[in-house]
Amino acid sequence: MSTSPSTQSPSKVGAVIRVTSGNFLEQFDFFLFGFYATYIAAAFFPSGDEFASLMMTFAVFGAGFLMRPLGAIILGAYIDDVGRRKGLIVTLSIMASGTLLIVLVPGYATIGLAAPLLVLLGRLLQGFSAGAELGGVSVYLAEMATPGKKGFYVSWQSASQQISIVVAAALGYGINQWMGASVVADWGWRIPFAVGCIIVPFIFVLRRNLAETEDFKNRTVRPTMKQVFATLLTNWRLVISGMLMVAMTTTAFYLITVYAPTFGKTVLNLSTSDALLVTLLVAVSNFIWLPIGGALSDRIGRKPLLVGMTVLAIATAYPALSYLAAAPTFSRMLVVLLWLSFLYGMYNGAMVVALTEIMPVEVRVAGFSLAYSLATAVFGGFTPAMSTWLIHETGDKAAPGYWMSFAAACALVATLYIYRRAKGAQLSAAV
């Protein structure tokens, strides 16, 4: 029995909302750590040197990304075996456990060294879960997409992250307006984490009602964990190329969202409220450009957008940040980060769906997740730490622009290699 368009459309919209709602929560919890880095540094990593304290906090933030490749392989293979729906419920459970731990851990002054160790454990759980979450959501959206609109559908994986940034930044902005600075530093920063924990049960209900994709149900052969490892090893060049292609996305994203509040407050000496407001507006901008990039890639192809945006990033990232650093103001920070947001949104709208398309179908989640996780571990996750270190070592407040340009150059080379490889494979098949 066929499904009429009138009933098919609402069902697809509902599926998008169910799968991305969980992605929203997982990313909301994950990003809060970066947003409140200065407060977490004071609570769990006290030091007489503000730079050292902040670096320890960002190192723990980055440690979560080191767990992503492991989560990508183990949980990604699990999702490829048991199905998208069951696997995404498991990733949500692990993420919620890590967040709850961070919310409940007393500060260093209360329990000493156990405090930073427990926070580290919470971050490792979050990282392990997130390793397969993005891949699972992206592949689910790709497999349930309407023909010819795959880029548009998959772009909502990243768009849901922007909603989490908006909510997190809005909460932070509100807390800074309603509470005194000392109260926020003491315990107020924990409120957004607690909010994330409170809405977990509602997200569980949504994901429990998530239908399995037809693509997965129609597969008669599902690889074992050993077969997944073997296939990934055989396709190692593709995984590494995918990692480099994702480098642009992860670096730009963490620069303009997670690191932005700290950058605005500690480097540019803007108020916390101004920095959070800029971050909120940037997330709104990301939310707009991502589906546009995905839809445009459906019309003109993935490669033109990927190449065009990386070239622009290489040419403009450092000059744009230099313009901001020369005379830091709220309006300049907003203009510069909105430009970087445009580059990120248009590129990522095409990149995420491209990554689902280049991976072997039998290990689609594991392959996507591993490439994405390696990129966040090597590039994106350490962007706050790398930016802080570059500014400290060079004395140049625009130095993070070098890091973003380098990531964009890696992505450009990888994109050209992947599509040249794909063209060669098509020619060989034709012969």
Side-chain angles (χ1 to χ4, degrees):
M1 182 177 180
S2 62
T3 304
S4 67
S6 61
T7 57
Q8 184 180 18
S9 179
S11 67
K12 285 188 177 293
V13 171
V16 170
I17 292 173
R18 287 187 182 94
V19 71
T20 56
S21 63
N23 190 50
F24 155 82
L25 177 64
E26 299 213 20
Q27 300 311 309
F28 173 76
D29 292 342
F30 207 78
F31 299 142
L32 284 176
F33 197 97
F35 279 179
Y36 295 99
T38 54
Y39 300 118
I40 292 173
F44 300 112
F45 305 94
S47 170
D49 185 343
E50 182 181 1
F51 167 72
S53 182
L54 197 57
M55 281 299 292
M56 283 189 289
T57 303
F58 281 138
V60 172
F61 178 75
F65 292 91
L66 295 179
M67 287 294 289
R68 282 195 172 199
L70 184 61
I73 295 174
I74 296 176
L75 292 178
Y78 176 75
I79 294 173
D80 279 325
D81 180 30
V82 304
R84 317 312 186 201
R85 174 184 170 276
K86 291 181 180 178
L88 289 173
I89 291 176
V90 170
T91 62
L92 181 62
S93 302
I94 297 173
M95 174 65 77
S97 299
T99 302
L100 184 63
L101 185 59
I102 294 174
V103 170
L104 298 178
V105 172
Y108 184 91
T110 304
I111 61 174
L113 188 60
L117 291 177
L118 288 172
V119 170
L120 175 61
L121 176 61
R123 284 297 297 169
L124 294 179
L125 288 172
Q126 288 182 325
F128 183 75
S129 167
E133 168 70 15
L134 297 182
V137 171
S138 298
V139 168
Y140 184 95
L141 292 171
E143 291 181 350
M144 56 81 66
T146 302
K149 296 184 178 180
K150 188 181 291 186
F152 176 72
Y153 271 85
V154 177
S155 69
W156 290 102
Q157 179 267 109
S158 298
S160 67
Q161 296 180 28
Q162 312 315 311
I163 299 175
S164 70
I165 298 293
V166 170
V167 174
L171 276 172
Y173 183 83
I175 288 170
N176 277 279
Q177 294 297 312
W178 300 328
M179 296 182 174
S182 60
V183 177
V184 175
D186 186 27
W187 59 270
W189 63 268
R190 295 179 186 260
I191 294 176
F193 286 93
V195 171
C197 292
I198 291 171
I199 63 177
V200 165
F202 300 100
I203 306 300
F204 268 116
V205 172
L206 287 175
R207 280 214 168 160
R208 282 183 59 192
N209 294 323
L210 192 65
E212 188 56 80
T213 67
E214 291 299 323
D215 278 16
F216 181 82
K217 288 192 291 187
N218 292 336
R219 282 169 51 190
T220 57
V221 178
R222 296 169 189 173
T224 63
M225 187 77 72
K226 184 178 180 180
Q227 290 172 325
V228 169
F229 292 155
T231 304
L232 291 176
L233 187 60
T234 301
N235 291 277
W236 69 269
R237 289 186 180 85
L238 189 59
V239 172
I240 297 300
S241 299
M243 175 196 77
L244 294 176
M245 194 165 70
V246 179
M248 161 80 170
T249 281
T250 59
T251 299
F253 180 72
Y254 284 97
L255 179 64
I256 65 177
T257 56
V258 175
Y259 180 62
T262 300
F263 181 65
K265 179 183 177 182
T266 63
V267 178
L268 303 180
N269 295 318
L270 300 177
S271 71
T272 300
S273 295
D274 280 351
L276 285 170
L277 184 57
V278 168
T279 304
L280 188 154
L281 294 174
V282 165
V284 173
S285 172
N286 292 345
F287 182 81
I288 294 171
W289 289 118
L290 282 162
I292 292 176
L296 188 59
S297 75
D298 287 329
R299 295 181 64 86
I300 68 173
R302 321 297 183 203
K303 183 180 176 181
L305 272 181
L306 297 176
V307 171
M309 293 303 110
T310 49
V311 169
L312 280 174
I314 293 169
T316 65
Y318 180 78
L321 287 173
S322 294
Y323 166 76
L324 171 59
T329 62
F330 172 84
S331 58
R332 282 202 178 198
M333 184 177 181
L334 180 60
V335 168
V336 168
L337 292 192
L338 286 179
W339 167 248
L340 298 182
S341 165
F342 165 74
L343 298 179
Y344 157 76
M346 295 296 286
Y347 177 84
N348 195 59
M351 187 282 300
V352 176
V353 65
L355 195 58
T356 67
E357 293 169 339
I358 65 175
M359 290 298 166
V361 64
E362 65 271 17
V363 292
R364 185 174 284 163
V365 175
F368 180 106
S369 299
L370 182 57
Y372 211 107
S373 297
L374 287 172
T376 53
V378 177
F379 291 92
F382 285 96
T383 290
M386 180 61 71
S387 298
T388 301
W389 180 81
L390 284 171
I391 293 170
H392 183 267
E393 291 298 310
T394 65
D396 183 358
K397 295 179 180 179
Y402 291 128
W403 181 239
M404 181 171 171
S405 295
F406 172 67
C410 291
L412 176 60
V413 171
T415 297
L416 295 175
Y417 167 77
I418 285 173
Y419 282 95
R420 182 178 180 183
R421 180 179 183 271
K423 184 177 180 180
Q426 290 174 354
L427 291 174
S428 298
V431 173

